[in-house]
Amino acid sequence: QDTPEKSEREALVRSACDPEDGSLFPDGDWVQPPLLYRHALEKLEEEIESIRREWKSAEGFSPIEHIKTRIKEPASILNKLERLGVEASAERLADQIHDIAGMRIVFPFVTDVYLLLERIWQSPDLHVLWIRDYIMEPKPNGYRSLHVLVSVPVTLEGVDCRVRVEVQMRTLAMDFWASLEHILLYKYDRRVPEHLEQELASAAGAAGELDHKMLALRSEVLSLSDEDER
Ligand code: GTP
Ligand code: MG
């Protein structure tokens, strides 16, 4: 039996998500921690953890260095809407802001980024909505990462819906560059002298080369241990 409170909560959840695809904030709910996004992140993290465990037992090493999640602050959602020049309404949010729930997965080796992407792709629960591959095609400033928009099934108050999570996948070297670039350029609002831009891009290139060097070293080490076994 539904108490009035329960049906009210249910209505809120219904208004907050699209049963097909996508996700919304409940109208006017800017302050409360958005439960749907929390659930979506937890669910996705669980899936990825189980892939990681399976992988580790099969291969003997974990392909993932660490996972971080965050939910965009209401203030920065409003900022972004303003930047995009759109009004703050639930519908606009669903269309325009796909990174309310965000996950960053950091890997030791670059090839493992693509292996995990394949596993996400194969998962019957997760839908890949789009991929932006800034590893194959780095941004002009040198930024490297693989961005994937994933839609995750969530059930809240008995209502089934799908919530979108922006997943950023990158190596330790790419993460090192992106973290430091963020610290360096944060207060400049991304307007820096050209020579600094060039230096940063060349540092990003060095991080990319480091990833390749480490991959080559890994294959050498693996072939050594194959020889030991023979
Ligand atoms: P926003 O940047 O969030 O407005 O989204 P967008 O639609 O422009 O997508 P984009 O792929 O450019 O960036 C999404 C996210 O990737 C950002 O919020 C950052 O976390 C990260 N990112 C993208 N470009 C850079 C960059 O040049 N430097 C760093 N440090 N992070 C970046
Ligand atoms: Mg951007």
Side-chain angles (χ1 to χ4, degrees), residues 80 83 99 132 134 139 147 190:
K80 190 163 175 176
R83 187 151 48 85
D99 65 341
R132 288 183 191 153
Y134 301 124
K139 289 195 172 189
H147 293 187
R190 305 210 170 259

Side-chain angles (χ1 to χ4, degrees), residues 33-105:
L35 209 49
L36 272 177
Y37 295 104
R38 236 335 110 232
H39 281 293
L41 285 173
E42 276 168 16
K43 169 113 197 217
L44 184 59
E45 193 161 1
E46 242 169 57
E47 286 259 344
I48 289 170
E49 274 302 332
S50 84
I51 296 172
R52 189 221 296 247
R53 271 193 299 275
E54 209 181 286
W55 199 323
K56 192 167 180 194
S57 85
E59 307 287 338
F61 69 95
S62 169
I64 294 170
E65 170 66 27
H66 64 260
I67 300 176
K68 269 191 200 165
T69 58
R70 71 105 179 86
I71 292 179
K72 212 177 184 75
E73 294 291 331
S76 74
I77 294 174
L78 288 173
N79 268 341
K80 190 163 175 176
L81 284 173
E82 204 171 303
R83 187 151 48 85
L84 295 168
V86 290
E87 249 176 69
S89 78
E91 293 74 28
R92 298 276 71 197
L93 266 180
D95 294 348
Q96 308 281 341
I97 304 199
H98 51 252
D99 65 341
I100 294 175
M103 175 177 286
R104 183 170 296 152
I105 311 175

Side-chain angles (χ1 to χ4, degrees), residues 45-208:
E45 193 161 1
E46 242 169 57
E47 286 259 344
I48 289 170
E49 274 302 332
S50 84
I51 296 172
R52 189 221 296 247
R53 271 193 299 275
E54 209 181 286
W55 199 323
K56 192 167 180 194
S57 85
E59 307 287 338
F61 69 95
S62 169
I64 294 170
E65 170 66 27
H66 64 260
I67 300 176
K68 269 191 200 165
T69 58
R70 71 105 179 86
I71 292 179
K72 212 177 184 75
E73 294 291 331
S76 74
I77 294 174
L78 288 173
N79 268 341
K80 190 163 175 176
L81 284 173
E82 204 171 303
R83 187 151 48 85
L84 295 168
V86 290
E87 249 176 69
S89 78
E91 293 74 28
R92 298 276 71 197
L93 266 180
D95 294 348
Q96 308 281 341
I97 304 199
H98 51 252
D99 65 341
I100 294 175
M103 175 177 286
R104 183 170 296 152
I105 311 175
V106 175
F107 300 74
F109 296 101
V110 64
T111 43
D112 298 332
V113 171
Y114 292 95
L115 290 177
L116 184 70
L117 175 65
E118 214 172 292
R119 298 294 301 266
I120 292 176
W121 196 279
Q122 286 164 354
S123 158
D125 281 351
L126 306 174
H127 296 168
V128 173
L129 302 179
W130 52 244
I131 298 170
R132 288 183 191 153
D133 192 344
Y134 301 124
I135 295 177
M136 297 296 274
E137 273 185 73
K139 289 195 172 189
N141 67 353
Y143 177 75
R144 286 162 166 79
S145 264
L146 185 80
H147 293 187
V148 189
L149 193 65
V150 178
S151 127
V152 182
V154 176
T155 306
L156 192 60
E157 303 285 346
V159 180
D160 292 330
C161 60
R162 303 194 68 92
V163 176
R164 293 183 292 174
V165 177
E166 189 188 76
V167 183
Q168 299 179 351
M169 301 199 267
R170 51 171 81 145
T171 63
L172 281 161
M174 294 169 195
D175 192 52
F176 170 76
W177 183 91
S179 302
L180 268 58
E181 186 256 10
H182 183 73
I183 294 169
L184 284 171
L185 297 193
Y186 193 65
K187 60 177 176 173
Y188 292 102
D189 201 19
R190 305 210 170 259
R191 284 185 305 270
V192 282
E194 200 173 313
H195 78 278
L196 277 181
E197 250 169 33
Q198 282 166 3
E199 294 283 346
L200 270 171
S202 109

Side-chain angles (χ1 to χ4, degrees), residues 206-225:
E209 279 163 31
L210 197 53
D211 274 331
H212 282 105
K213 185 156 198 149
M214 288 310 193
L215 261 189
L217 287 177
R218 176 164 78 171
S219 5
E220 244 187 84
V221 169
L222 284 177
S223 69
L224 279 180
S225 60

Side-chain angles (χ1 to χ4, degrees), residues 17-42:
C17 66
D18 181 326
E20 291 287 69
D21 210 325
S23 53
L24 300 174
F25 252 79
D27 240 342
D29 184 10
W30 299 101
V31 196
Q32 281 195 2
L35 209 49
L36 272 177
Y37 295 104
R38 236 335 110 232
H39 281 293
L41 285 173
E42 276 168 16

